[in-house]
Amino acid sequence: MGCLRFLLLLMQKKDSFESLVMEHIRLNGAYWGLTTLDLLHKLDAVDADEVIQWIMSCYHPESGGFGGNVGHDPHVLYTLSAVQVLCLFDRLDVLDVDKVADYVSGLQNEDGSFSGDIWGEVDTRFSYIVICTLALLHHLHKINVQKAVDYIVSCKNLDGGFGAMPGGESHAGQIFCCVGALAITGSLHHIDRDLLGWWLCERQCKEGGLNGRPEKLADVCYSWWVLSSLIMIDRVHWIDKDKLAKFILNCQDKENGGISDRPDNAVDIYHTYFGVAGLSLMEYPGVKPMDPAYALPLDVVNRIFLRKRD
Amino acid sequence: MHGRPRRPDKPEDAAAADAKAAKLRDLQTQVLRNHHSRTYSKEALGLSFKLLELNPEAYTAWNYRKLAFQHNLGELSELEAIKSSIDDELRVVELALRQNPKSYGAWYHRKWLLNQKLAPVDFKREFGLLDKLLKVDARNFHGWNYRRFLAKFMGVPEEEELKYTKDKISDNFSNYSAWHNRSILLSNLLTQQRKGFESKQKIFSEEFELVTQALFTDPSDQSGWFYHLWLLAQTSSPENPQLIASWPSNGAKLSLSSVREANDKQNTPSSFSSICCYSLKEGILPIVLFFNEPVKGLTPSSVSLNSDLVVGKNIQWRPLSVTDSGHSYCWVTYLEVSNLEYCSSQQFSVEASIPNTDDIVSRSGSSYNCPVHFTFTFEPNNIDSITEDTDLIHDPISWDCSEPLPSHVKPSCIHSDQLKITNALIQEESKWHLERLSDELDLFRELPDDNSKFAKLTLARLLLACAAIKSRGSSLIERRGYCEEALGLFNDLIYLDPSHKRYYEDERSLVLMDQLTCNMESFMKYCSVQVLPNLAPLNHVQLCRLSLTCIGFVERLLWVQMLDLSHNNLRSIEGLEALQHLVCLNVSNNQISSFTALKPLTEILSLKVLDLSFNEIGTHPINTTRYICPTPFSHKVEACEAFEECQKKNINVEEFWDAILFFKHVNLVQLGFEGNAIANKENFRTLVVTLNPSIKWLDGACVH
Ligand SMILES: [Zn+2]
């Protein structure tokens, strides 16, 4: 697969306009790139110490959160990516776990929702992020889980999906966040699996790819959002996996590597990750299986939750 | 990241791109520097403006502007100056949205400003901005979220917003965002019983009309179909939960024994059905209640049990469900019968009733309002708690589903009038439901494009909704007719829309099970009494080679003790947990792929024999029930003692965690698992024997 070449190239090419526009989310980029490498059994191609050192340079010791890059403000979006990358390398020991757990849990609001940072934007994405971060750190008890779950349930729509806030329209990315948060907290019984499963499997378009909302174009990134949600609710058999795999492979840049949103568009690391992750969820040969809730390779998640802890 | 064409860099483009990149880098560096040094001068603010115009996603720049705004506000006292400062921020947002109308940071900056409530909001400007953006992209969900925010902020009545959704829908039927908002507003207005929204029936009739108009305009557009599906769901299910089945059923007379009767000439009165009840071993008799939707709140006070048998105060109702939730279709309690002063002539009667109660509620919060009352009688016979489990099965039980069932033996404990308890409950509302559904049926049969998958699917769903209502009456013939027609539609759909084949197959399985079990005449073809050597006769049901992919209508199987589901395409057995008398289960030659998928079986105390041969356990690295049932990953099960026990025997917990959780919770005597990938794995047998010590037969061979 050409992804590897593309990823390694990307790590060096820091000065193009495209990568500069993404500079503030470089930590997300690191998570996308490194997880892709791990899924392709190539994580040892990078220098773990160097990566970890850079990750920690995005850390804000006074708040306990991570910024998207060195010098950028802390936010839960990047804090989760940092924790996930450290999980990949099994190096959570470099973290002040309590401090980080305090940072994300401190963002829970009275109604159970979560803000993304001190400025108070509320979104179910942040509910997932905080819950996932705390679970990976074994600190889920630091928040009021019941209230967090109730808030997510209040964002459930009559089509079975979830929006960013109560009343918000269902959207596959948002659905992943809500289903993921409910999965991690053992609360999937709040979901009407047949209703949501039907809505999600109808995201498959004629050409095989998945879209994020009704009457929208297919896009590789939804391979992840839709597939992982369908797996968590045990309805993934309702889509045609072969057609989807073909669509993803069709979005590969066969000359330079990488995967784009749609066939023949420019590749980027975000879609490369989501394409490979989608293939992983469909048990594509040569790609490590992934956990649909924690968005990490299965072996990493199994290690975290099944390994004996003191 | 979206929609950029893939093309090789041309040299002339490269120069321009370099210049653009240099400018951006410069701006980013300067803004961050000003942020860190807390420089909030006009010039510094101008730089952040330029940066956000170029890259609205630079979130730290938005934070910087908020800090600067707060900082500079301290120096302003006049309202006009504050207003102009707010204006500056609003303008930045507008320019950023021009660059990216879906910028989270830009939209939130605007909400944040309004929430400061420092100056009166110019709502005309806000709605004007929205109109412009929604004109460009009527589906921009940021825009819709902002509209809901504004409407709430200024207290726009929901009735007015509802009108707006209708306008948008009239502009273009294919506006899912507008349909969505309409469903939200409408259900709020109905719940609050606002003026003009008192009658759900009237409102829904109007909505059916509106959406049908859209569907007939363009039957291939999804937007309206989802709305129609919601309306249909609201129209086809009763508002309040209902009890639809129980075990024992009303009027049942049971002769209970715990072991095979030594000689078959026990002189029980002929009106009694004799049943060997394996749970009696544990000294308990299960009572099962089955509702039409998941409910919670069954307690000794919400369900009263009266008996001449001393019913202990410790009656506890337990939800039977794989997920760890308070709600369940099916509830069980166990009557203590172990300490009965047993003498063979004594009969006990049990009276169960559920009055109107606010304690029992459905997921949607509606309470139980269909009082039921039923009684049954039982006679303990041969209750012997000394015999060991393993003694029950002397020889491995073999299944042969090719053998025809003996037609003359009728299983005991089946009552064709199982549904009697609900017959009295047909309510006024279902009359309206049925009329409404019939109108829709007539309409969709006339849809010109008869190859529209949505039309066919909706037709099938309408038929099934009608069938469900009919089950509450006694029109079983009609019910079968509906099922027949729906089956045909699902068969069509499998060809018409092969991508969703397995969805239609699941639906078809449910209809098929409905059809097979809905009346006694057809069901009896699949029922028999199995007499096995050294074992008491078992009530047997055989549903083999029917292409079933999932299980439904288990409320009609509550009495089954031996169930043969082999040679189907089952990937899920959810629902079987309700079968509290099941002793032997054959699910060989199906598509079960993990032990978490078998979680329902851990709820059945009487289960002794399980055939899992020729499934797909161990084949698939992605486990689709990993989060459905309690696991360490869903924080409902701690890494347990069983894990440690296995580790000591060098069993890889990371590989076998689902098997460990399963075998820890069952008590099997016989297990078949050949033909699964896991059968070839080292240590799997050790795992089974370690965690399930009662096992005697593994794949036909004696363990001991
Ligand atoms: Zn995308």
Side-chain angles (χ1 to χ4, degrees):
Chain A
M1 198 174 292
C3 294
L4 186 62
R5 195 157 19 117
F6 167 71
L7 285 170
L8 295 173
L9 200 74
L10 198 87
M11 305 246 168
Q12 294 141 20
K13 199 172 143 192
K14 285 189 187 167
D15 261 341
S16 72
F17 184 78
E18 283 71 31
S19 63
L20 278 167
V21 168
M22 310 253 292
E23 192 184 71
H24 64 285
I25 52 166
R26 187 160 289 271
L27 194 36
N28 292 151
Y31 157 73
W32 295 326
L34 293 164
T35 307
T36 309
L37 284 178
D38 196 16
L39 291 175
L40 300 173
H41 305 273
K42 289 289 192 291
L43 194 57
D44 49 12
V46 295
D47 181 339
D49 289 332
E50 202 182 310
V51 172
I52 289 162
Q53 199 184 0
W54 178 78
I55 299 268
M56 291 313 288
S57 69
C58 300
Y59 181 58
H60 292 251
E62 67 291 351
S63 69
F66 284 79
N69 201 337
V70 183
H72 292 249
D73 286 354
H75 193 285
V76 293
L77 276 164
Y78 316 106
T79 308
L80 174 60
S81 283
V83 168
Q84 284 170 318
V85 170
L86 294 173
C87 288
L88 283 180
F89 291 108
D90 199 9
R91 288 298 305 276
L92 284 174
D93 58 291
V94 301
L95 274 191
D96 181 346
V97 169
D98 273 304
K99 185 83 190 171
V100 176
D102 283 340
Y103 170 69
V104 293
S105 55
L107 291 166
Q108 187 167 32
N109 302 308
E110 196 39 52
D111 62 357
S113 67
F114 289 87
S115 304
D117 63 10
I118 54 166
W119 295 105
E121 183 182 7
V122 170
D123 191 306
T124 45
R125 285 179 301 150
F126 308 146
S127 298
Y128 166 74
I129 287 171
V130 171
I131 285 170
C132 187
T133 305
L134 288 173
L136 290 171
L137 298 176
H138 299 289
H139 274 65
L140 207 48
H141 57 271
K142 285 213 168 164
I143 54 164
N144 186 330
V145 173
Q146 188 55 52
K147 271 190 166 185
V149 167
D150 290 345
Y151 180 77
I152 293 168
V153 173
S154 77
C155 299
K156 186 164 69 169
N157 290 320
L158 302 157
D159 55 21
F162 293 84
M165 57 203 75
E169 183 182 342
S170 300
H171 174 286
Q174 225 76 45
I175 289 172
F176 162 78
C177 290
C178 294
V179 175
L182 294 178
I184 292 171
T185 54
S187 313
L188 286 179
H189 52 268
H190 290 290
I191 292 177
D192 182 336
R193 287 187 271 145
D194 288 331
L195 184 63
L196 177 58
W198 167 246
W199 192 91
L200 285 169
C201 81
E202 271 299 308
R203 299 305 101 242
Q204 187 157 35
C205 303
K206 280 216 170 63
E207 67 262 51
L210 301 168
N211 64 17
R213 292 190 283 157
E215 302 300 326
K216 290 277 183 182
L217 287 177
D219 176 337
V220 161
C221 58
Y222 293 111
S223 310
W224 166 264
W225 306 119
V226 174
L227 272 178
S228 57
S229 306
L230 280 170
I231 290 173
M232 287 187 273
I233 62 169
D234 195 18
R235 292 292 178 273
V236 73
H237 58 294
W238 286 356
I239 63 156
D240 186 333
K241 291 188 200 173
D242 291 339
K243 271 175 95 176
L244 175 56
K246 260 185 214 139
F247 176 81
I248 297 175
L249 295 172
N250 252 334
C251 293
Q252 256 195 121
D253 183 337
K254 295 207 174 68
E255 279 168 49
N256 305 304
I259 298 174
S260 53
D261 55 345
R262 300 180 46 74
D264 299 321
N265 277 354
V267 301
D268 61 67
I269 194 166
Y270 173 85
H271 289 94
T272 303
Y273 159 73
F274 284 117
V276 174
L279 292 172
S280 157
L281 292 178
M282 293 187 288
E283 307 179 335
Y284 195 80
V287 184
K288 270 196 190 179
M290 221 170 150
D291 181 283
Y294 294 95
L296 285 167
L298 204 60
D299 57 347
V300 173
V301 174
N302 284 354
R303 183 180 71 212
I304 289 170
F305 293 102
L306 298 172
R307 185 166 58 184
K308 221 182 137 195
R309 285 179 301 128
D310 310 309
Chain B
M1 282 185 284
H2 288 109
R4 276 187 304 125
R6 184 186 301 165
R7 47 153 199 248
D9 295 339
K10 287 186 215 144
E12 63 268 32
D13 287 354
D18 280 351
K20 209 169 138 198
K23 186 181 165 199
L24 182 62
R25 167 156 297 280
D26 204 36
L27 280 171
Q28 279 176 351
T29 316
Q30 294 190 64
V31 170
L32 280 184
R33 192 185 304 132
N34 291 332
H35 180 41
H36 297 145
S37 64
R38 293 170 201 193
T39 308
Y40 304 126
S41 66
K42 244 199 165 80
E43 196 205 348
L45 272 166
L47 289 172
S48 68
F49 183 179
K50 277 188 189 149
L51 172 59
L52 288 167
E53 207 183 345
L54 212 53
N55 181 14
E57 292 303 290
Y59 72 99
T60 305
W62 289 114
N63 295 348
Y64 164 73
R65 285 199 74 94
K66 290 191 189 74
L67 285 167
F69 177 82
Q70 287 177 332
H71 176 266
N72 294 338
L73 198 65
E75 290 159 16
L76 305 173
S77 51
E78 280 174 44
L79 185 64
E80 282 313 306
I82 295 173
K83 265 188 184 163
S84 115
S85 173
I86 294 174
D87 250 19
D88 286 348
E89 295 305 312
L90 293 178
R91 214 157 34 99
V92 185
V93 171
E94 273 154 44
L95 287 168
L97 288 178
R98 201 171 290 170
Q99 169 71 22
N100 177 10
K102 293 183 174 176
S103 164
Y104 283 96
W107 282 109
Y108 182 64
H109 199 65
R110 204 170 188 92
K111 282 189 197 171
W112 180 82
L113 280 165
L114 263 58
N115 274 329
Q116 303 296 306
K117 299 190 174 144
L118 295 166
V121 179
D122 179 358
F123 285 110
K124 235 178 111 186
R125 174 181 178 174
E126 296 306 308
F127 280 110
L129 170 77
L130 262 181
D131 280 342
K132 229 189 297 168
L133 278 157
L134 289 179
K135 209 156 268 167
V136 179
D137 176 6
R139 298 287 310 280
N140 184 336
F141 67 86
H142 294 270
W144 282 96
N145 281 344
Y146 191 65
R147 187 175 181 101
R148 281 182 287 266
F149 165 81
L150 278 181
K152 201 170 161 199
F153 194 89
M154 62 181 286
V156 182
E158 290 188 317
E159 289 88 338
E160 247 168 71
E161 285 300 288
L162 191 71
K163 272 192 209 119
Y164 178 77
T165 63
K166 196 161 181 178
D167 292 346
K168 281 276 148 190
I169 290 167
S170 312
D171 285 352
N172 180 2
F173 281 134
S174 174
N175 188 339
Y176 190 80
S177 307
W179 287 111
H180 158 75
N181 211 28
R182 191 169 181 80
S183 74
I184 295 276
L185 293 163
L186 211 54
S187 50
N188 285 348
L189 289 164
L190 285 167
T191 333
Q192 296 161 17
Q193 291 279 292
R194 289 271 273 279
K195 195 168 177 294
F197 295 87
E198 297 92 346
S199 160
K200 192 174 159 182
Q201 301 187 356
K202 177 177 151 276
I203 297 290
F204 273 60
S205 298
E206 289 167 9
E207 293 303 304
F208 267 118
E209 218 156 284
L210 176 68
V211 75
T212 312
Q213 212 183 325
L215 297 177
F216 276 70
T217 310
D218 180 5
S220 68
D221 185 85
Q222 291 195 356
S223 313
W225 290 109
F226 282 104
Y227 193 73
H228 189 271
L229 179 60
W230 171 60
L231 293 177
L232 177 57
Q234 299 297 305
T235 311
S236 51
S237 52
E239 304 252 334
N240 298 83
Q242 300 179 352
L243 182 74
I244 53 170
S246 68
W247 195 95
S249 54
N250 188 25
K253 292 179 171 177
L254 307 169
S255 166
L256 304 172
S257 58
S258 68
V259 287
R260 192 175 73 99
E261 287 151 23
N263 46 35
D264 285 350
K265 47 180 171 38
Q266 284 284 336
N267 44 355
T268 51
S270 58
S271 65
F272 275 65
S273 332
S274 75
I275 174 168
C276 177
C277 194
Y278 282 82
S279 60
L280 289 180
K281 286 245 132 279
E282 336 277 340
I284 51 176
L285 175 68
I287 297 178
V288 177
L289 299 180
F290 203 99
F291 296 83
N292 68 327
E293 62 176 319
V295 293
K296 70 169 184 186
L298 273 79
T299 60
S301 61
S302 58
V303 181
S304 79
L305 275 185
N306 287 309
S307 172
D308 34 14
L309 174 76
V310 185
V311 181
K313 287 270 175 284
N314 52 354
I315 282 284
Q316 293 247 324
W317 287 96
R318 192 165 72 88
L320 287 172
S321 124
V322 286
T323 57
D324 180 40
S325 79
H327 290 88
S328 179
Y329 286 99
C330 186
W331 288 73
V332 67
T333 193
Y334 301 104
L335 280 189
E336 287 266 349
V337 290
S338 59
N339 48 3
L340 286 187
E341 266 313 311
Y342 141 73
C343 73
S344 75
S345 60
Q346 194 170 356
Q347 295 176 6
F348 299 95
S349 75
V350 179
E351 219 180 275
S353 54
I354 311 181
N356 279 337
T357 169
D358 290 336
D359 293 343
I360 300 179
V361 287
S362 69
R363 284 232 169 95
S364 63
S366 46
S367 52
Y368 191 86
N369 68 355
C370 312
V372 286
H373 176 88
F374 67 94
T375 54
F376 62 91
T377 317
F378 72 93
E379 179 185 81
N381 211 335
N382 238 339
I383 294 188
D384 177 0
S385 52
I386 301 160
T387 331
E388 286 297 312
D389 277 347
T390 43
D391 290 349
L392 288 171
I393 293 146
H394 295 267
D395 303 306
I397 289 171
S398 63
W399 309 73
D400 188 1
C401 67
S402 55
E403 219 171 84
L405 293 172
S407 55
H408 56 283
V409 203
K410 189 182 167 202
S412 56
C413 312
I414 311 182
H415 287 264
S416 48
D417 55 353
Q418 277 229 332
L419 300 169
K420 203 164 72 185
I421 42 174
T422 56
N423 282 358
L425 306 174
I426 314 162
Q427 291 172 333
E428 211 28 45
E429 63 171 43
S430 56
K431 208 185 283 169
W432 175 74
H433 285 162
L434 206 56
E435 276 166 22
R436 189 64 248 174
L437 294 173
S438 308
D439 288 354
E440 290 295 302
L441 265 177
D442 293 343
L443 207 59
F444 280 100
R445 286 193 214 271
E446 274 162 31
L447 195 76
D449 177 10
D450 64 330
N451 263 338
S452 154
K453 99 175 198 199
F454 282 107
K456 274 191 196 292
L457 180 57
T458 304
L459 201 53
R461 284 169 171 163
L462 283 164
L463 290 161
L464 296 178
C466 289
I469 292 177
K470 288 294 181 185
S471 78
R472 281 177 259 151
S474 48
S475 332
L476 283 173
I477 306 275
E478 275 178 84
R479 184 180 180 109
R480 295 204 63 180
Y482 288 129
C483 288
E484 196 70 48
E485 195 180 344
L487 276 179
L489 287 166
F490 285 122
N491 284 333
D492 287 355
L493 281 162
I494 289 173
Y495 288 101
L496 204 59
D497 178 23
S499 288
H500 295 105
K501 179 169 171 262
R502 298 182 71 187
Y503 169 75
Y504 303 123
E505 286 174 353
D506 282 353
E507 291 291 306
R508 189 178 61 181
S509 297
L510 297 178
V511 187
L512 196 60
M513 283 206 67
D514 187 6
Q515 203 188 23
L516 297 181
T517 59
C518 75
N519 76 358
M520 265 305 127
E521 209 180 314
S522 65
F523 194 14
M524 284 313 290
K525 288 183 209 142
Y526 303 91
C527 305
S528 68
V529 174
Q530 193 78 9
V531 185
L532 297 159
N534 298 315
L535 213 63
L538 294 171
N539 291 327
H540 181 208
V541 169
Q542 195 178 72
L543 297 168
C544 305
R545 298 182 208 275
L546 292 166
S547 305
L548 297 175
T549 58
C550 57
I551 310 277
F553 299 93
V554 287
E555 69 270 22
R556 299 175 191 159
L557 304 174
L558 299 179
W559 48 272
V560 176
Q561 296 179 292
M562 186 168 183
L563 180 60
D564 188 349
L565 293 167
S566 63
H567 298 277
N568 281 297
N569 303 320
L570 292 171
R571 48 181 306 290
S572 163
I573 55 160
E574 259 187 88
L576 287 191
E577 63 274 11
L579 275 52
Q580 289 292 305
H581 290 277
L582 195 64
V583 182
C584 305
L585 174 67
N586 185 354
V587 283
S588 65
N589 293 284
N590 277 290
Q591 295 170 13
I592 290 159
S593 63
S594 68
F595 283 104
T596 41
L598 296 169
K599 169 80 169 90
L601 303 182
T602 62
E603 304 280 344
I604 305 174
L605 300 174
S606 52
L607 187 71
K608 300 290 168 223
V609 177
L610 176 61
D611 193 346
L612 295 175
S613 316
F614 301 100
N615 275 281
E616 298 173 8
I617 301 176
T619 307
H620 297 284
I622 301 288
N623 176 347
T624 58
T625 42
R626 184 176 165 100
Y627 288 96
I628 302 290
C629 50
T631 64
F633 318 104
S634 63
H635 296 86
K636 291 291 167 183
V637 176
E638 286 295 315
C640 56
E641 276 170 43
F643 286 167
E644 280 185 40
E645 200 179 339
C646 288
Q647 257 149 0
K648 274 184 209 141
K649 302 212 167 180
N650 283 323
I651 294 166
N652 184 346
V653 172
E654 287 174 35
E655 185 177 6
F656 289 120
W657 61 270
D658 64 329
I660 297 171
L661 291 175
F662 179 76
F663 286 104
K664 195 184 97 172
H665 289 111
V666 289
N667 238 326
L668 303 173
V669 177
Q670 180 183 333
L671 172 70
F673 64 85
E674 65 172 321
N676 288 284
I678 201 167
N680 307 320
K681 298 231 169 108
E682 214 185 325
N683 284 337
F684 178 67
R685 283 178 68 96
T686 317
L687 183 158
V688 176
V689 177
T690 305
L691 297 174
N692 190 144
S694 60
I695 200 89
K696 189 172 167 192
W697 302 98
L698 261 185
D699 270 339
C702 188
V703 173
H704 305 291

